[in-house]
Amino acid sequence: MRAQAVEGLSVGFASFVIDDVAASSQMPGPNGASRTVATYARRVATEGFTPGRLDTATVEDLKVTSDGAEILTAEAATLADIDIVAALRRILAGEAITPDTFNGLSIGRMDYTGLAYRPVGDVGGSMERLTLANLTFADGVRASLSLSILGLRGDAQAIAGLGVDPADLGIDDPAVDFGLDFAVDMAAKRASLRTLEFELRGLGRVEVSVELIDATQDLDPQTTKIEGARLRYVDSSLLERVLTLIGASPDEIADEVRNNGRALGNTPAAVAAVQAVVAFVLAPRSITLEMRPPRPPSLALLRATPPTDRKSTRLN
């Protein structure tokens, strides 16, 4: 049977279109009770399909319900360049499932627009677009991944739980954008967080990037080292709104920064850092903190040691 299943991976279709696709199943629910989860799509169209491999597919008007209540909807979904054949062959051949089982698996792109989710018993939220791209596996790890979330909206109370109530800052319709892009090369023992972005629209954006060397699969903090790191904040209106909220002026905050900055010492790096923060407070645009030490510290050492003067601060 396994051999026949493996051979079945060669059967495919040049293209097909199916309208009014519906399926349902029984799933465990709360308190041990079962619930009926149903999926419906007005149209599903594919090109270049074989089991485990897909060139492109589009889904229109996707809807998932639980006991008749909508829990997820999407205006459209697009999938492209998906290949899980190698992983399927290993599984169907009866190989034990290990991290290496998924080597060769790749997802070129999964894109959802007009996405809304309403978990049972929860408030839920929506996204203008959710994109997963360039997901690959090699050497037993996720070798690369890009994730983008645009226009995330949810429960206002949950956002306020982060410590900032958008309503207090004059934001009536808070929306969040999020981005993640990383790559791992175990042969070269390198891992790169190319970018991690978080933006609260109309307020500001935080960007982080990190380069790691001597990296292991589990990113052992004793051996994995930080070759360089970068933190950037781009202000849209957050600082001005916060100062208005707390009743402080830029000059007052700048004076506090100068006074507190004396604790950093008089090294050129410390003086430059304080001056950059003061300049940012007085004229908010963007501020960047970078670290590229001549002797890359291990992840463990960085957590255990206060920041050194091997930093540069740049005001853009």
Side-chain angles (χ1 to χ4, degrees), residues 1 69 101 136 149 200 240:
M1 291 294 293
T101 299
T136 62
I149 298 175
L200 190 53
E240 179 184 358

Side-chain angles (χ1 to χ4, degrees), residues 30 44 64 87 89 94 105 118 122 129 199 235 263 265 286-287:
V44 176
V64 181
R89 286 186 182 278
L105 183 152
R118 306 174 184 86
D122 204 346
R129 183 180 296 272
E199 178 174 2
D235 189 79
S286 68
I287 188 169

Side-chain angles (χ1 to χ4, degrees), residues 142-154:
R142 285 185 294 273
S144 62
L145 170 67
S146 295
L147 175 66
S148 172
I149 298 175
L150 299 179
L152 172 63
R153 293 175 171 84

Side-chain angles (χ1 to χ4, degrees), residues 6-315:
V6 172
E7 289 299 321
L9 295 178
S10 61
V11 179
F13 304 90
S15 64
F16 65 79
V17 177
I18 305 177
D19 290 332
D20 297 321
V21 180
S24 63
S25 61
Q26 295 297 120
M27 302 290 290
N31 303 321
S34 64
R35 56 194 176 98
T36 301
V37 176
T39 302
Y40 170 82
R42 185 173 62 83
R43 169 167 291 189
V44 176
T46 72
E47 292 185 6
F49 170 81
T50 59
R53 182 178 290 114
L54 175 67
D55 289 343
T56 60
T58 57
V59 180
E60 300 176 12
D61 296 332
L62 175 67
K63 180 171 67 174
V64 181
T65 62
S66 176
D67 287 340
E70 290 186 356
I71 58 175
L72 186 145
T73 59
E75 296 174 1
T78 302
L79 296 81
D81 299 326
I82 295 177
D83 188 345
I84 60 173
V85 170
L88 275 179
R89 286 186 182 278
R90 296 184 187 106
I91 294 172
L92 293 175
E95 296 182 12
I97 297 180
T98 68
D100 289 332
T101 299
F102 302 98
N103 288 346
L105 183 152
S106 65
I107 296 177
R109 188 176 185 88
M110 299 174 64
D111 192 65
Y112 298 85
T113 57
L115 187 67
Y117 52 94
R118 306 174 184 86
V120 176
D122 204 346
V123 177
S126 64
M127 304 178 196
E128 295 172 7
R129 183 180 296 272
L130 169 65
T131 302
L132 174 69
N134 194 31
L135 172 61
T136 62
F137 286 78
D139 302 312
V141 299
R142 285 185 294 273
S144 62
L145 170 67
S146 295
L147 175 66
S148 172
I149 298 175
L150 299 179
L152 172 63
R153 293 175 171 84
D155 182 6
Q157 291 182 349
I159 297 177
L162 297 175
V164 177
D165 189 339
D168 291 340
L169 299 174
I171 302 294
D172 298 325
D173 182 26
V176 171
D177 295 337
F178 173 83
L180 170 68
D181 185 7
F182 76 83
V184 177
D185 185 348
M186 284 292 97
K189 296 184 178 181
R190 296 187 65 91
S192 174
L193 176 61
R194 294 166 178 157
T195 182
L196 173 64
E197 297 183 359
F198 178 87
E199 178 174 2
L200 190 53
R201 289 185 183 176
L203 295 179
R205 181 175 74 253
V206 176
E207 305 169 0
V208 178
S209 61
V210 181
E211 296 289 338
L212 303 177
I213 58 175
D214 296 333
T216 59
Q217 285 190 354
D218 59 354
L219 296 181
D220 184 344
Q222 301 299 326
T223 58
T224 303
K225 299 180 179 65
I226 297 181
E227 183 180 49
R230 180 175 183 267
L231 171 64
R232 183 171 186 248
Y233 172 68
V234 181
D235 189 79
S236 298
S237 67
L238 178 60
L239 184 57
E240 179 184 358
R241 293 172 186 266
V242 169
L243 294 181
T244 300
L245 180 65
I246 65 177
S249 71
D251 290 331
E252 291 172 334
I253 300 300
D255 287 340
E256 288 190 19
V257 171
R258 293 187 187 98
N259 293 332
N260 295 330
R262 295 192 181 98
L264 298 176
N266 294 319
T267 64
V271 173
V274 172
Q275 289 177 343
V277 174
V278 168
F280 174 77
V281 170
L282 295 176
R285 290 177 294 176
S286 68
I287 188 169
T288 302
L289 303 177
E290 292 185 302
M291 180 186 78
R292 191 166 290 274
R295 293 184 180 179
S298 69
L299 290 176
L301 182 63
L302 189 66
R303 289 204 303 261
T305 305
T308 69
D309 61 356
R310 294 189 188 118
K311 290 184 178 179
S312 64
T313 307
R314 184 175 71 250
L315 178 68

